[in-house]
Amino acid sequence: MASQKARKLRPNDFPGGVHPPENKHQSTGEPIGTIPLAEDLVVPLLQHSGATALPVVKLGDDVLKGQKIAEADGLISCPVHAPSSGKVVAIEPCAVPHPSGLVEDCIVIRTDGEERWCELEYYEDFTRLSPVELLDKIRECGIAGMGGAGFPTAVKLDPHGGMAIDTLIINGTECEPYITADDMLMRERAEEIIAGVKILSYILDEPERILIGIEDNKPQAIAAMREAIRDTRFDIVIFPTKYPSGGEKQLIQILTGREVPNQGLPANVGIVCQNVGTARAVYRAVRFGEPLINRVTTVVGQALERQRNIEVPIGTPIRHILKHHGIHHGLMQKVVIGGPMMGYTIDDESAPVVKTTNCLLVPTKEELPPAPVAKACIRCGFCAEACPASLLPQQLYWYARADEREKLQAYNLFDCIECGACSYVCPSTIPLVQYYRAAKGAIRLAEEEKEKSDRARDRFEFRKLRLEKAEKEKEAKREARRKAAELARQKREQNPEVEESKAGKQEADVVAAALARVKSRQEDPQQLLARAKRSLSSAESRVERMRNKLEAADENQRDQLSAQLKAAELKLQEAEHKLTLAKRRVDRDPAREPNKEENSAAVRAITKARAAAEARAQMSDAEKLDADVEALRNRVSKAQARLQKARDENDANLEAFETALEKLQKKLEDKMREQHSAQDGEP
């Protein structure tokens, strides 16, 4: 029934496209295999689109296979799990498969060879869970798209903005030359793929159509998938082979005739698209609780003795894989991640396999000759004819060379899928895609810098407003204090005797409070006695030790030890004297008035302050002004002396001394003006 429905579906076409040599047969001659486990697995924290995962293990930790070792950092992120059991031996930047060649943070696990699994949570009947619970499960298992840029699958299955999804597309196209990972997966794991498609359909609330797109150059995969969809409502759509029909937007146009808008998403036209490998990973996560810790990868190229597909743990170094496929370094031209059209070269073979590594291509120079030197553009227009996104590659090339970013965006640079079709047909062998990638990177970097600049400007303006508000509040408080002082002065002028009596009482209360604080800080005599006893015991012990050392010392050390003994004996005498004073203080009658020796400097200062306060209470307003002016003059004189000393010594706090002097001089001037005004007002 399903095959009859599949014949009725008529695929559409997309503009452009090319037909490069497929080279698919080299790696399909034997079933999906395996290789021995590597000694060290290098697991990058960023294997997906979005934010880098955050480690949850530390150096020296023992980990189990499938255990979470890094958690997602935000919505657009994925957790990372241990591909095998072992010990964490490093958390550091390592080489990763990336066009930039830069290093990324990785967790290095030294495997123990035991493959011990952690406890997994699985569900035999996924319909017992709600779609939200299934999304959480997929998210926790770290599943990301395995056929493209590695976008987190849980986010892709949960479109925001309330968009209705009526079509689920499963991408089994695999149009890139050499790559056969999805082809072999459909041949050998078709039942698991379809089981995963059922889960995806359930999560999306059973969309109207579930379409599985496969190119017609995969007859064995088509047969296996048709057998697997029996008794389902899924449709397999077969269409002619053309590169890049596996692009998401191109496949949507082929299967539905819909076009994804400029810089839009498939969800904008009611479609969700997933890879066959991703569908299988979803099934393994829900049915067996397995996180995404391995994948099927094509290992191909004439520089290898053996070419095939293998299921390999994520984090396996590429060098380890090539070693077990008989690499000939003398014949090898380079190592390419992906295919010859959209792949990129890596220089460090210690980089590991990640969730998006679908192919390792190791060609000879004869198999994939180096690109010739680029010539001048002859404006032939072949690139525009081949572009599957209906762009103008020639114009984009000129604008990219001139760094005209506004025009690049106006000509929809970011709609370019970097398929390489334009470079493939260019008779001048211009590496057009490299220009587009560089231009995209420059635009993204400029936008990030602009965003940082905007945030910095916003922070500056907010700080400026905050400081202005604080200054206004301070000014309001100063004005309130000035008004209160003016009101108090007016009251004193109206009732001088009452106000002077209140002022004298307040000053007396202040002095009494200060005296009480000083008395409260005086130490308990018993505490002083205990401290003196401890000091005496320590001093006696030191003297005894020094005497013993002196008796056992030779002639060269006796002079030095004698001096140390004398110093220790002086400390002992001082401790005995302090103990005697402490005992006298304990024996002294606490009710007796203190003698002159017992008066502390603080008590004398308070007594002096009390006398001054009492004398000031008897002064007239004019006498108080004269006394204030004289006191300020003394303070200004002392401040000038301190400032001069600071200048002579080149003190680091010179500016603070200058500011203090200016404030005192300002106070003196204000007080002198007040004094002159009072004198002018006398009868």
Side-chain angles (χ1 to χ4, degrees):
M1 180 180 66
S3 60
Q4 291 177 353
K5 289 197 298 181
R7 294 193 192 98
K8 295 179 182 178
L9 295 173
R10 291 182 175 272
N12 302 285
D13 196 7
F14 63 90
V18 294
H19 295 83
E22 295 179 9
N23 290 315
K24 301 278 190 178
H25 65 280
Q26 293 97 320
S27 56
T28 57
E30 58 180 286
I32 298 172
T34 59
I35 60 173
L37 185 66
E39 180 182 2
D40 288 340
L41 298 177
V42 182
V43 187
L45 297 178
L46 182 61
Q47 305 181 47
H48 48 268
S49 297
T52 304
L54 304 174
V56 295
V57 294
K58 59 183 182 297
L59 196 65
D61 283 358
D62 291 319
V63 295
L64 298 174
K65 187 174 182 178
Q67 176 183 333
K68 184 191 292 187
I69 58 177
E71 61 184 0
D73 182 19
L75 177 64
I76 313 298
S77 184
C78 270
V80 177
H81 301 78
S84 183
S85 58
K87 181 184 290 291
V88 176
V89 295
I91 302 177
E92 61 187 10
C94 300
V96 296
H98 193 272
S100 67
L102 299 177
V103 296
E104 293 283 354
D105 290 336
C106 301
I107 297 176
V108 182
I109 299 173
R110 180 144 300 160
T111 58
D112 55 17
E114 298 179 9
E115 295 284 80
R116 292 173 291 121
W117 280 89
C118 67
E119 186 176 350
L120 301 177
E121 185 179 8
Y122 60 91
Y123 305 96
E124 295 184 4
D125 183 5
F126 67 86
T127 59
R128 294 180 179 272
L129 301 178
S130 68
V132 173
E133 291 172 325
L134 286 172
L135 283 174
D136 289 339
K137 180 65 176 177
I138 292 171
R139 183 180 294 109
E140 281 301 305
C141 286
I143 298 176
M146 301 176 68
F151 197 80
T153 302
V155 179
K156 203 170 183 180
L157 291 172
D158 186 20
H160 299 277
M163 291 175 284
I165 303 299
D166 59 25
T167 303
L168 170 62
I169 291 178
I170 304 301
N171 189 347
T173 306
E174 199 171 47
C175 59
E176 177 90 11
Y178 284 99
I179 306 177
T180 59
D182 289 348
D183 185 1
M184 296 302 295
L185 194 66
M186 288 187 287
R187 295 187 194 186
E188 300 183 20
R189 312 280 198 274
E191 294 80 7
E192 292 187 353
I193 294 172
I194 297 304
V197 175
K198 292 178 181 178
I199 297 174
L200 297 176
S201 176
Y202 176 76
I203 291 173
L204 295 172
D205 195 21
E206 302 297 342
E208 296 177 11
R209 295 184 296 174
I210 293 91
L211 307 177
I212 304 172
I214 308 176
E215 281 187 326
D216 59 7
N217 63 348
K218 303 176 181 62
Q220 292 175 277
I222 293 170
M225 293 292 285
R226 279 178 171 166
E227 181 65 25
I229 66 168
R230 287 182 180 274
D231 302 322
T232 70
R233 63 186 185 90
F234 305 159
D235 293 311
I236 293 179
V237 183
I238 314 302
F239 50 89
T241 300
K242 182 171 71 167
Y243 179 84
S245 57
E248 188 175 60
K249 293 182 179 181
Q250 285 68 43
L251 183 60
I252 290 172
Q253 192 168 358
I254 290 171
L255 299 185
T256 67
R258 302 177 189 176
E259 292 190 28
V260 179
N262 177 33
Q263 296 190 19
L265 298 172
N268 298 132
V269 293
I271 295 173
V272 167
C273 190
Q274 295 288 351
N275 176 262
V276 291
T278 308
R280 179 190 178 234
V282 167
Y283 166 72
R284 302 289 300 182
V286 175
R287 177 61 184 85
F288 302 105
E290 293 179 9
L292 182 52
I293 56 175
N294 53 40
R295 67 154 298 136
V296 176
T297 299
T298 303
V299 186
V300 66
Q302 292 182 7
L304 301 173
E305 292 181 0
R306 190 177 189 184
Q307 304 179 59
R308 58 173 178 163
N309 284 274
I310 59 172
E311 188 159 12
V312 60
I314 287 167
T316 302
I318 292 172
R319 179 184 293 112
H320 179 77
I321 297 174
L322 300 183
K323 174 185 174 183
H324 285 85
H325 287 80
I327 182 171
H328 295 282
H329 285 93
L331 300 176
M332 178 186 75
Q333 178 199 351
K334 54 187 176 181
V335 177
V336 179
I337 304 294
M341 300 295 289
M342 297 184 68
Y344 54 89
T345 303
I346 61 167
D347 297 323
D348 193 341
E349 294 177 14
S350 65
V353 168
V354 296
K355 296 177 182 179
T356 57
T357 307
N358 56 1
C359 180
L360 299 177
L361 173 60
V362 192
T364 61
K365 293 181 180 179
E366 292 75 17
E367 182 182 13
L368 198 64
V373 177
K375 303 179 183 66
C377 175
I378 61 174
R379 302 179 184 272
C380 62
F382 290 166
C383 55
E385 294 176 4
C387 180
S390 300
L391 301 176
L392 297 175
Q394 183 185 22
Q395 293 299 116
L396 293 174
Y397 165 65
W398 292 118
Y399 293 145
R401 288 192 60 178
D403 198 23
E404 297 186 30
R405 297 174 184 172
E406 292 183 0
K407 290 186 177 180
L408 283 169
Q409 291 180 287
Y411 277 76
N412 301 322
L413 171 66
F414 284 91
D415 278 354
C416 171
I417 63 174
E418 302 177 18
C419 65
C422 53
S423 300
Y424 181 78
V425 300
C426 179
S428 298
T429 64
I430 299 172
L432 296 169
V433 175
Q434 294 184 22
Y435 282 99
Y436 305 154
R437 285 175 179 168
K440 287 180 180 180
I443 291 173
R444 291 190 184 103
L445 184 61
E447 289 177 348
E448 289 176 2
E449 292 297 326
K450 182 179 181 300
E451 186 177 351
K452 290 180 182 178
S453 177
D454 291 342
R455 288 200 300 266
R457 184 179 63 253
D458 292 341
R459 287 196 301 268
F460 172 76
E461 292 178 353
F462 177 75
R463 180 177 181 274
K464 185 178 178 182
L465 291 173
R466 178 170 53 81
L467 292 177
E468 290 177 355
K469 181 180 178 181
E471 185 60 31
K472 289 179 180 179
E473 291 176 352
K474 289 180 181 179
E475 183 62 30
K477 290 179 181 179
R478 285 195 290 266
E479 182 65 19
R481 288 196 298 269
R482 188 191 65 77
K483 290 181 178 179
E486 180 66 20
L487 182 61
R489 186 185 65 79
Q490 293 176 0
K491 287 183 178 180
R492 285 198 303 270
E493 291 177 354
Q494 294 173 359
N495 301 293
E497 295 180 358
V498 175
E499 294 300 326
E500 285 180 5
S501 175
K502 288 182 179 179
K505 185 177 183 303
Q506 290 176 351
E507 290 176 354
D509 291 343
V510 170
V511 172
L515 183 59
R517 287 196 298 272
V518 170
K519 288 183 177 180
S520 67
R521 286 197 297 266
Q522 291 180 348
E523 293 189 82
D524 183 13
Q526 294 293 340
Q527 293 178 350
L528 291 174
L529 179 60
R531 186 184 302 167
K533 287 180 178 179
R534 289 194 297 271
S535 299
L536 178 62
S537 176
S538 177
E540 288 174 344
S541 177
R542 179 170 176 78
V543 168
E544 184 64 25
R545 288 199 307 272
M546 295 307 300
R547 285 174 180 170
N548 293 336
K549 285 185 179 180
L550 184 59
E551 291 176 0
D554 55 23
E555 292 297 332
N556 296 330
Q557 297 178 336
R558 292 187 68 84
D559 292 341
Q560 181 180 0
L561 291 174
S562 296
Q564 294 179 359
L565 176 60
K566 187 174 181 180
E569 289 174 343
L570 291 174
K571 290 284 187 181
L572 177 60
Q573 293 176 6
E574 184 180 350
E576 291 173 344
H577 179 66
K578 288 184 177 179
L579 178 61
T580 302
L581 293 178
K583 287 180 178 179
R584 289 178 182 175
R585 186 165 182 178
V586 171
D587 296 337
R588 186 177 300 132
D589 181 9
R592 184 169 54 85
E593 288 292 328
N595 54 31
K596 293 182 180 180
E597 294 179 356
E598 293 171 331
N599 283 332
S600 65
V603 174
R604 289 196 298 272
I606 291 174
T607 303
K608 184 178 178 181
R610 177 184 289 174
E614 291 174 353
R616 184 178 178 85
Q618 303 298 325
M619 293 180 183
S620 64
D621 289 343
E623 290 173 339
K624 289 179 180 178
L625 279 173
D626 293 341
D628 291 343
V629 169
E630 185 62 27
L632 282 170
R633 282 175 177 164
N634 291 334
R635 292 176 64 187
V636 168
S637 178
K638 291 179 181 179
Q640 289 172 339
R642 286 197 301 270
L643 177 59
Q644 186 59 44
K645 183 179 179 182
R647 286 173 177 167
D648 295 340
E649 297 176 354
N650 196 19
D651 196 310
N653 297 318
L654 182 62
E655 186 177 352
F657 287 122
E658 291 175 346
T659 303
L661 177 59
E662 291 175 359
K663 289 182 178 180
L664 284 173
Q665 289 175 337
K666 180 68 168 58
K667 288 183 179 180
L668 177 59
E669 292 173 1
D670 293 342
K671 189 61 69 174
M672 290 177 67
R673 279 196 295 270
E674 187 178 348
Q675 184 185 39
H676 292 324
S677 299
Q679 290 174 354
D680 293 341
E682 291 179 354

